[in-house]
Amino acid sequence: MAADSMEIDDALYSRQRYVLGDTAMQKMAQSHVFLSGVGGLGVEIAKNIILAGVKALTVHDTKQCTKWDLGINFFIHEDDIVSQRNRAEATLHHIAELNPYVHVAASTMPLDESTDLSFLKQYQCVILTEVSLSLQKKINDFCHAQQPPIKFISADVYGICSRLFCDFGDEFEVLDTTGEEPKEIFISNITQSNPGIVTCLENHPHRLETGQFLTFREVNGMSCLNGSTHQITVVSPYSFSIGNTSDMEPYLHGGIAVQVKTPKMFCFERLEKQLTNPTCLVADFIKPEAPLQTHIAMLALNHFEEKFGRMPNIGCHQDAEEMLKIAMSLSETLENKPQVNGDIVKWLSRTAQGFLAPLAAAVGGVASQEVLKAVTGKFSPLQQWLYIDMLDMVTPLEKMGSEEFLPRGDRYDALRACIGESLCQKLHDLNVFLVGCGAIGCEMLKNFALLGVGTGQDKGMKPKSYTAAEATLNINPCLKIDSYINKVCPATENTYSDEFYTRQDVIVTALDNVEARRYIDSRCVANLRPLLDSGTMGTKGHTEVVVPHLTESYNSHRDPPEEEIPFCTLKSFPAAIEHTIQWARDKFESLFSHKPSLFNKFWQTYPSAEEVLQRIKSGESLEGCFHVIKTLSRRPRNWTQCVELARVKFEKYFSHKALQLLHSFPLDTRLKDGSLFWQSPKRPPFPVKFDFNDPLHYDFIVSAAKLFATVYCVPFTEQDLSEETILKITSSVKVPEFRPSNKVVQTDETARKPDHIPVSSEDERNAIFQLEKSILSNEALQNDLQMKPISFEKDDDSNGHIDFITAASNLRAKMYNIEPADRFKTKRIAGKIIPAIATATAAVSGLVALELIKVVGGYPADAYKNCFLNLAIPIMVFTETAKVRRTEIRNGISFTIWDRWTIYGKEDFTLLDFINAVREKYGIEPTMVVQGVKMLYVPVMPGHIKRLKLTMQKLVKPSADKKYVDLTVSFAPETDGDEDLPGPPVRYYFVQEDN
């Protein structure tokens, strides 16, 4: 993004633009930021804000690179240590490479109590890491006193504790507190009363909050509301009040209420004041007291360092006791005199010299988002402290000797100081299968590299990307890493077999696709493997830990299904731009992908037109024949015919469709109850008259013609695309006149799109005539029987796919008087693009890596934490994992999702032998046996009793290399009439030797 021209590079920023919006992006591109401290946390923040696209970043540091830095700063390498380079200078070119639009400079000047701070006036935001508390206070006072204030952020990670502090001045205005799209509510009624009550359409809750503002449009009757803005009070999930409407005209029908975003002012206190009376964000509601306790502990650490001129020694009990005394004394100086948590103080003291890189990633993600808020005024800022501690991680390490935590002179010393040598070794010996190498996946690899995951002999990681693997080795050359590019789904069983999964110690998913995640979860459960799942959408993110025998799995809960747009809404009654975009996307699929594919499939089945003609003349019914012949007879054979076809489609879609609907349902049509047919949310269409000079009309013709030329293999030149050529062709097109049809228009919202449209006998006769004509005209030759289907690709702007969808959608929107959408919004909706920003992906990946350490350590169930965060609001909520549920069968026999019964058979083992074996081994007799979707034995099914004598080999029909099969069994209910009781999966081995 060039700051001078303010043009946004969509290839670089497309996902982020959907999060921040162009206004915030442009503000960011004019901002100058200063960051002091390029340790593990500083480099995380620098990475994120450079990727976001500020105008300029100065990174400041006075320390030299050491071996310690290799385990905390992913841009510092061995040669930087050998040459004793400054940390800021060593990382400068690496972080600058992340974004060519950001000017990055390094500073190595001293920054202490005597420094003249006036140089900071050139910056809009100042971030401090690894700076003494006294200097933090001095710099904060300077920043707060400026007009306008310089936004101030300080952040630190010491051992198992982290903190983040923000001060954006006495008055900080935020234009958009949430970043959510303004809500649009369709109205069904407004009362004439004081206050007037607005009711929304049935089954469409408004999801508004009291105090929000709405503006109205398209209200019939009470029309004085249109264009006015009202503050609302929520009455129920389906209604709200708007003030006095008793003197207005009576409400008739229709109307849309649109949420109005109003600026909000945030007030901040200086660091000095907040130290004694902190305002903290609570992240773990099970421990609401934790933020204050960590606040005292970290203050005690600062005072310890000032008093002794050093940090507490690693694992030193004496220093921990000294720090606890300081904490007790400090507690008395705070306004609420909070209780001191001795465990937090002790573990912070013992690990303070250490560093958890994943904790820095999590806090760095949040801190970076605060930087972006500071320079854009977009989203609600943190007020004013965030504390995250990893007490859950170190409490189980209590019995370890202090020597476990001492440095050994390698890149893992900082990590070792926090979790001990034994746990470090377990991380080195880990086999991890990472599925997905997008934004989150690459952040995961960075964290794994810093942790030394998979560096042991014959161990390693298996990410699904070559480029990501190569970049990870630059961070830590000791990693053992393999790359796979196969999709993870049932079709890839041979690549990712059960044996493959059992060789992995942990599976980590970083995927957008919910179905793929569900499939991987099922494989993890089947093979008793832990799973770490995560995902983001814009500033929102989640993490979930799945541990065998301890927790429920990802598949144990189901998100509500995505609300589908009813078929009749898409086809005839759109009410929102999302409907017209989906219609245009479906049209693209039908015209340029689905129909060409069916065309090709048909002619692969029936190789010649003459053979097809002969067969249909003899009365044979060939599936898809009518549509294929229709396509063949209308096939454009040159550029002129492609443009003509596009012009005819324009008339059909945007004129004839409207005329037909108004023929079927004139504007004064009323329903049985006397209400108007055309009332909200139904909008009457009006035909669009083609105008070559309207850019939207022109764009549709050109984009459609180009795509028709592609699928029909018609060449075209630059001259063909000229306005002169297009005008000449469109001017001479004979557009078919509108002829009303008596076809029934579907109005039932529950009706689905029909699979097949019946072909009439007249259509069949026409097909014979058209095919004969094509053969006689030599227009049914081998080349004519082929088309080139197009696969929709949203990210290639040169292919014209989004151009067609934007033009088609906005023309349909115009026809229905719906507010159009620009190409950018259309691309997001049509391409189902998931908004993404580096801040959230960094935070989520850090949280996952922290849970990985616990999984490797074999921690108890209550140590694991799932997390939901929304950095825009901001909230971060940690919850305990869902404990695994136990299902009772009967007579004390029970199972969980992690249980699997095992039966070993032999060559002549029958189904009856299998049933008896289950009864003898597990004390209960199966009444039904199922393999996947295939019913092997259901007694009530005809012929199934005879199957009892068949061998399992004959029933299952395994492939030669298949050693076992997973079956589902159920048991008779205790009471007749009840449903069968489900059982756990039963793995049946075909031969005994595999025991």
Side-chain angles (χ1 to χ4, degrees), residues 428-446:
H428 301 337
D429 293 338
L430 205 60
N431 269 336
V432 177
F433 183 33
L434 171 64
V435 190
C437 272
I440 299 178
C442 290
E443 288 280 355
M444 296 276 194
L445 286 171
K446 172 211 69 188

Side-chain angles (χ1 to χ4, degrees), residues 643-661:
V643 177
E644 288 171 348
L645 180 56
R647 176 65 186 87
V648 169
K649 292 291 185 189
F650 181 101
E651 203 68 17
K652 177 185 175 182
Y653 297 153
F654 311 119
S655 178
H656 291 184
K657 175 68 178 179
L659 294 168
Q660 178 60 48
L661 275 170

Side-chain angles (χ1 to χ4, degrees), residues 715-742:
F716 58 91
T717 65
E718 282 300 314
Q719 179 59 37
D720 288 331
L721 295 170
S722 68
E723 282 192 32
E724 182 188 354
T725 305
I726 304 293
L727 176 60
K728 186 179 176 183
I729 299 170
T730 53
S731 301
S732 59
V733 175
K734 290 179 182 175
V735 179
E737 284 186 21
F738 170 68
R739 290 180 183 171
S741 160
N742 291 322

Side-chain angles (χ1 to χ4, degrees), residues 943-958:
H944 274 223
I945 296 296
K946 293 178 184 175
R947 293 184 175 183
L948 290 170
K949 295 178 182 176
L950 296 177
T951 66
M952 293 296 283
Q953 291 269 7
K954 191 164 186 178
L955 271 173
V956 173
K957 298 183 179 68

Side-chain angles (χ1 to χ4, degrees), residues 36-40 60-66 68-69 72 76 80 84-90 107-110 129-132 156 158 305 311:
S36 180
V38 195
H60 166 266
D61 205 296
T62 56
K63 296 177 182 174
Q64 286 183 342
C65 298
T66 65
W68 198 267
D69 289 307
I72 66 175
I76 288 178
D80 298 317
Q84 298 184 322
R85 297 185 75 189
N86 172 279
R87 293 196 303 182
E89 291 175 339
S107 168
T108 60
M109 61 172 247
T129 69
E130 302 182 21
V131 171
S132 70
D156 281 302
Y158 291 112
E305 189 179 12
M311 297 289 271

Side-chain angles (χ1 to χ4, degrees), residues 592-639:
F592 309 120
S593 180
H594 184 62
K595 285 180 180 174
S597 297
L598 290 178
F599 186 89
N600 288 349
K601 188 178 177 183
F602 182 88
W603 293 114
Q604 284 160 7
T605 309
Y606 309 103
S608 78
E610 289 79 8
E611 181 192 332
V612 169
L613 181 61
Q614 190 180 349
R615 291 173 76 160
I616 57 175
K617 270 186 171 180
S618 67
E620 201 173 333
S621 177
L622 308 181
E623 190 181 346
C625 169
F626 168 69
H627 298 293
V628 164
I629 292 170
K630 187 171 146 186
T631 302
L632 178 65
S633 66
R634 297 179 180 181
R635 180 179 188 125
R637 295 169 186 282
N638 53 50
W639 175 249

